[in-house]
Amino acid sequence: NHPECTSSLVDMDEGTAFHEILDDTSDVRKANEHIDRLIFCSGKVFYDLDKHRTEADLNNAAIIRIEQMYPWYAAKIKEIASRYPNASKWVWCQEEPLNMGAWSFVWSRLEKIAGHRVRYAGRVSAASPSTGSKAIHKREQKDLVERAFNV
């Protein structure tokens, strides 16, 4: 569990705790004319991306979370992406290796919505979802997060 990943009991009682697609809620979103990059992700990698964006003082990227892959909410993704008219770079970021995780499902669907190439920021293909080494994992995680803002 990530300490920032919480819902209140009121959210759950009112049936609004789960959202399939989450737009960026940071202050970066308010200056959407400066945003030239949309980073799509799912799960806890969002918190690493958001932390890096804050620490590096980056204001040109919005982070959009796709929390439910199927059914595919193309209309909702289009609606959110339309809020960033200057976002010509779209990136999918995932912690899992290239041959695992959601990339193989989302890339063609995102490209269809974007009308252009979607870039990948994540681990290379591997036989195992984990390196088995905390030091290597941290190095790879740092690298994939940085690539999401540079690829």
Side-chain angles (χ1 to χ4, degrees), residues 26-149:
S26 71
D27 289 340
V28 169
R29 179 179 170 205
K30 294 174 187 166
N32 67 349
E33 69 276 359
H34 299 292
I35 294 173
D36 65 0
R37 176 180 301 262
L38 299 182
I39 301 172
F40 294 88
C41 66
S42 182
K44 72 180 190 72
V45 73
F46 163 78
Y47 298 100
D48 293 335
L49 291 164
D50 190 45
K51 181 180 178 186
H52 176 76
R53 179 177 60 182
T54 301
E55 289 175 352
D57 196 27
L58 301 171
N59 63 0
N60 70 319
I63 305 168
I64 299 166
R65 294 180 274 177
I66 301 177
E67 294 300 328
Q68 181 172 313
M69 302 296 165
Y70 192 85
W72 182 249
Y73 290 91
K76 182 68 174 174
I77 294 168
K78 282 181 194 177
E79 174 196 328
I80 290 171
S82 73
R83 298 173 190 162
Y84 308 99
N86 298 322
S88 60
K89 298 173 193 142
W90 287 29
V91 179
W92 174 260
C93 183
Q94 69 180 32
E95 295 182 276
E96 300 85 1
L98 178 62
N99 58 323
M100 300 176 201
W103 170 248
S104 62
F105 180 79
V106 302
W107 77 270
S108 63
R109 288 166 174 84
L110 284 175
E111 283 190 354
K112 185 175 181 181
I113 295 168
H116 56 77
R117 181 176 160 248
V118 174
R119 298 149 191 210
Y120 173 78
R123 290 178 166 80
V124 298
S125 293
S128 171
S130 173
T131 66
S133 164
K134 187 175 182 178
I136 293 172
H137 172 78
K138 283 185 172 185
R139 186 171 55 242
E140 288 179 348
Q141 190 74 4
K142 181 180 183 292
D143 179 59
L144 72 90
V145 166
E146 288 175 355
R147 271 189 289 126
F149 292 91

